[in-house]
Amino acid sequence: MAVLAGAAGLVVTCGFVVPAAQAESDFATPNSLHVRKDLVIGHRGSSGYRPEHTLASYRLAARMGADYIEPDLVVTKDGVLVARHENEISETTDVAEHPEFADRKTTKTIDGQEITGWFTEDFTLAELKTLRAKERVPDIRQRNTIYDERYTIPTFAEVLKEAKRLSKELGRPIGVYPETKHPTYFRKIGLPIEPRLVAELKKAGLNHPNAKVIVQSFEVSNLKELDRQLRVPLVQLISSTGAPYDFVDSGDPRTYADLITPKGLREIASYADGIGPDKQLVIPWNPDGTLGEPTRLVRDAHRVGLKVHPYTFRAENSFLPADFRSSDNPAHYGRIHEELEVYFDAGVDGVFTDNPDIGVEVRDDEEN
Ligand code: G3P
Ligand code: CA
């Protein structure tokens, strides 16, 4: 858990000097005199508009007003952190079209699931850099496919550098909200994510309570370990089903459902500063697919001092509750503004969204 001390005068954020009030932690206590905006987190950048986890996607998110950009992190064969949602890369790159890598296609068990494809840990960074990113869901986001094969896979260091550059360009600190992907798996193959993450943050001068950085994970033990090494806020991600894979791996019978009981939330508050739940844990969908009533999760989390940043808000009908869809066409935009309004009204402290421009508009409308 980060030290949440206030700051006076000027501080350096992302290597960029900004007024202290602007640069303070976004995890100030509820008693803080400062009124803070809820956060808009550019999920995988601005993945509603650009292929995810590319510098172009992060750049657009920041220019649209996102407070944070969100890189998911995996590791290369030579130990470099790169931004991908998973270590199997055929969904989001053109790797399958590279005959020189055809023999790298293989089947592995990742977090208990058998997966066939190409894996970042089997490629050096130099090899990965020869690939190009592509849209993950071309049927739903056809317009994004015009950007296919324009962008490379960025390293985490490049994402931090871009956030620093964008902070200067935009005159406000652009935060970075990295997620460790498959931490138990990468530790077991000798390529642990956490020491690399700590080293990169320290190298960039970002391991201090006022750094605009939040670290997130679906696993628990790595966050507890990071709590001893990092001075930035930590967020425990909570899936709507299953259990943290480190629990599964170690035989701990607890599930995500156990983590969001009052007792589970108290334990999270001992090492983390917030939770990132599936949005349906905040407001579930009814059996007919319409949006239901808020659960007690926001209230219970706030009671133990945890911020709540649900995921993932997306404009297409495919991802919206039935009563917020505009038509039967899964690719058409539905009433995401109204969905976001309901969640801000339910008291969340930030949102992960593929459409940061809409997140900012709704957040700012709510606060005006
Ligand atoms: O990290 C918040 C959200 O991104 C979690 O879901 O699967 O998109 O990484 P995912
Ligand atoms: Ca993520």
Side-chain angles (χ1 to χ4, degrees), residues 49-61:
Y49 311 110
R50 295 289 184 277
E52 68 187 44
H53 293 313
T54 58
L55 290 184
S57 182
Y58 301 132
R59 201 174 289 140
L60 183 60

Side-chain angles (χ1 to χ4, degrees), residues 39-93:
L39 299 181
V40 174
I41 304 141
H43 185 244
R44 312 183 195 176
S46 54
S47 51
Y49 311 110
R50 295 289 184 277
E52 68 187 44
H53 293 313
T54 58
L55 290 184
S57 182
Y58 301 132
R59 201 174 289 140
L60 183 60
R63 290 178 182 156
M64 286 179 155
D67 302 292
Y68 284 79
I69 52 177
E70 191 235 4
D72 294 323
L73 298 178
V74 295
V75 192
T76 68
K77 186 179 186 175
D78 45 349
V80 181
L81 292 179
V82 293
R84 288 290 94 191
H85 180 259
E86 55 276 293
N87 54 337
E88 199 289 300
I89 51 175
S90 61
E91 298 283 300
T92 62
T93 74

Side-chain angles (χ1 to χ4, degrees), residues 55 57 107 147 158 192 231 260 324 335 348:
L55 290 184
S57 182
T107 300
Y147 302 100
E158 288 167 344
R231 302 180 67 214
I260 56 169
F324 289 73
R335 298 188 348 259
V348 304

Side-chain angles (χ1 to χ4, degrees), residues 240-256:
S240 58
T241 58
Y245 192 70
D246 55 324
F247 283 11
V248 175
D249 188 63
S250 67
D252 186 325
R254 288 176 296 163
T255 65
Y256 285 116

Side-chain angles (χ1 to χ4, degrees), residues 3 26 60 74 89 98 147 224 325 333 352:
V3 178
D26 287 301
L60 183 60
V74 295
I89 51 175
H98 285 251
Y147 302 100
K224 288 185 172 176
R325 294 176 196 150
Y333 278 14
F352 287 90

